[in-house]
Amino acid sequence: MMPLSKDKVMMLTSYQSQAEQLVRNYVLADPFLPYTSVLGGIFACKMAYELTQLISSFYFKSYAGLTKMQRFEWNNRGMSTIHAIFITVMSLYLVFFSELYSDQQFGLVPFRSSPLSTFALGVSVGYFLTDLGMILWLYPSLGGMEYVVHHSLSLIAVAYSMLSGEGQLYTYMVLISEATTAGVNLRWYLDTAGMKRSSAYLINGVVMFFAWLIARILLFVYLFYHVYLHYDQIQQMHTFGILLVFVVPCALSIMNLMWFGKILKGLKKTLAKSQ
């Protein structure tokens, strides 16, 4: 292979520099970041959906025997699992490990944001747009009205927080609840694959029970306590933001409690069968 000439090296370096400048000044610039991250989230969902389809067709024999609608749901759940892992990791880091929302930092907590926090919310908006679109398109095969309500509330709250920069801490606290999505999806996969009586199904049920209790019950109690402690700061938010801080977690808490009752009932039934 012939070495590149000095002119070609300089030209390639110039193109690379221009590309980096384009990304920094436009794609990742603060005014454009919310929109590019949303588009990135939609694109990532498409990639995750197709990757799930590709891997499943090669490594899971039962996939070929599924109906067309079951394959749609199988791939959709793969997409939602990847989003759940991403947003759970980001939420846990930003809420508990970064200094962004620490009380020791200067500034009102409900108004704090960063390019990283805005980017992660944008990716999540892209996911909720994609998933809600699929739910409505195939309604009610991928979920009933409770899923439409859940995704609509989540989409509105996350999009507002991303665009306004208000209440991002509370948005991320709620998004930690996505940690349970992987367990819910695994339960469906095992059931669909005919492994309902396996030990994996039982273990998943127990893990999902405790994960739901922590991420969707106890964490919401902590959220409401944090809101109570910082109520004077929350009052300075816009009216719509204040409404979302109270209405969305309350509505989701009611739905979480209803689903938790079903999980508990299902776990009892599974444990009874295993004995």
Side-chain angles (χ1 to χ4, degrees):
M1 183 181 292
M2 294 181 62
L4 293 174
S5 65
K6 186 177 181 181
D7 290 339
K8 287 184 178 180
V9 171
M10 290 179 64
M11 187 170 62
L12 289 173
T13 304
S14 176
Y15 283 141
Q16 183 181 358
S17 177
Q18 290 176 20
E20 289 176 354
Q21 200 169 24
L22 177 67
V23 171
R24 185 170 58 252
N25 294 340
Y26 293 97
V27 178
L28 296 180
D30 287 347
F32 301 102
L33 185 59
Y35 309 104
T36 54
S37 59
V38 170
L39 292 175
I42 294 172
F43 177 73
C45 285
K46 176 175 173 56
M47 293 295 293
Y49 183 93
E50 293 183 353
L51 188 62
T52 302
Q53 185 178 27
L54 180 65
I55 292 174
S56 300
S57 60
F58 275 102
Y59 294 102
F60 296 96
K61 295 180 180 179
S62 57
Y63 182 80
L66 299 177
T67 64
K68 184 179 180 180
M69 193 54 63
Q70 283 178 322
R71 286 198 293 271
F72 268 122
E73 186 166 0
W74 183 289
N75 301 334
N76 175 269
R77 287 179 180 273
M79 178 185 79
S80 69
T81 299
I82 292 174
H83 165 262
I85 294 170
F86 166 78
I87 201 61
T88 299
V89 171
M90 293 302 301
S91 299
L92 287 171
Y93 167 72
L94 289 167
V95 173
F96 296 111
F97 298 101
S98 76
E99 296 295 321
L100 182 60
Y101 305 116
S102 172
D103 286 331
Q104 278 69 47
Q105 296 297 315
F106 178 77
L108 301 178
V109 173
F111 295 92
R112 294 184 199 166
S113 64
S114 70
L116 178 61
S117 66
T118 300
F119 171 80
L121 290 178
V123 173
S124 200
V125 168
Y127 161 74
F128 282 117
L129 278 171
T130 305
D131 203 33
L132 182 59
M134 293 183 70
I135 290 172
L136 293 174
W137 178 40
L138 298 170
Y139 187 84
S141 299
L142 294 181
M145 186 52 62
E146 68 274 17
Y147 284 89
V148 175
V149 172
H150 175 274
H151 276 45
S152 298
L153 287 173
S154 299
L155 177 59
I156 292 169
V158 175
Y160 176 82
S161 186
M162 173 194 67
L163 293 170
S164 68
E166 290 186 356
Q168 288 195 2
L169 170 62
Y170 302 114
T171 302
Y172 276 115
M173 283 186 181
V174 172
L175 285 172
I176 291 175
S177 63
E178 285 293 307
T180 60
T181 299
V184 173
N185 288 341
L186 179 57
R187 188 176 181 84
W188 184 88
Y189 283 134
L190 292 171
D191 190 5
T192 304
M195 300 176 64
K196 202 168 183 178
R197 294 185 177 276
S198 66
S199 57
Y201 190 86
L202 175 61
I203 293 170
N204 178 72
V206 174
V207 172
M208 194 169 69
F209 170 82
F210 286 106
W212 198 282
L213 178 64
I214 295 169
R216 290 186 180 260
I217 306 298
L218 298 180
L219 185 62
F220 274 68
V221 174
Y222 173 73
L223 185 154
F224 292 129
Y225 177 66
H226 196 282
V227 168
Y228 169 76
L229 292 179
H230 297 80
Y231 183 70
D232 58 327
Q233 297 183 23
I234 293 171
Q235 283 183 308
Q236 300 181 49
M237 294 171 61
H238 289 90
T239 304
F240 189 67
I242 297 173
L243 189 67
L244 289 177
V245 167
F246 287 98
V247 172
V248 173
C250 286
L252 293 179
S253 292
I254 294 170
M255 297 174 72
N256 288 339
L257 287 170
M258 292 170 58
W259 284 328
F260 186 63
K262 292 180 180 180
I263 290 172
L264 181 59
K265 186 177 179 180
L267 180 60
K268 287 181 178 178
K269 188 182 294 185
T270 304
L271 288 170
K273 287 181 180 179
S274 65
Q275 293 174 354

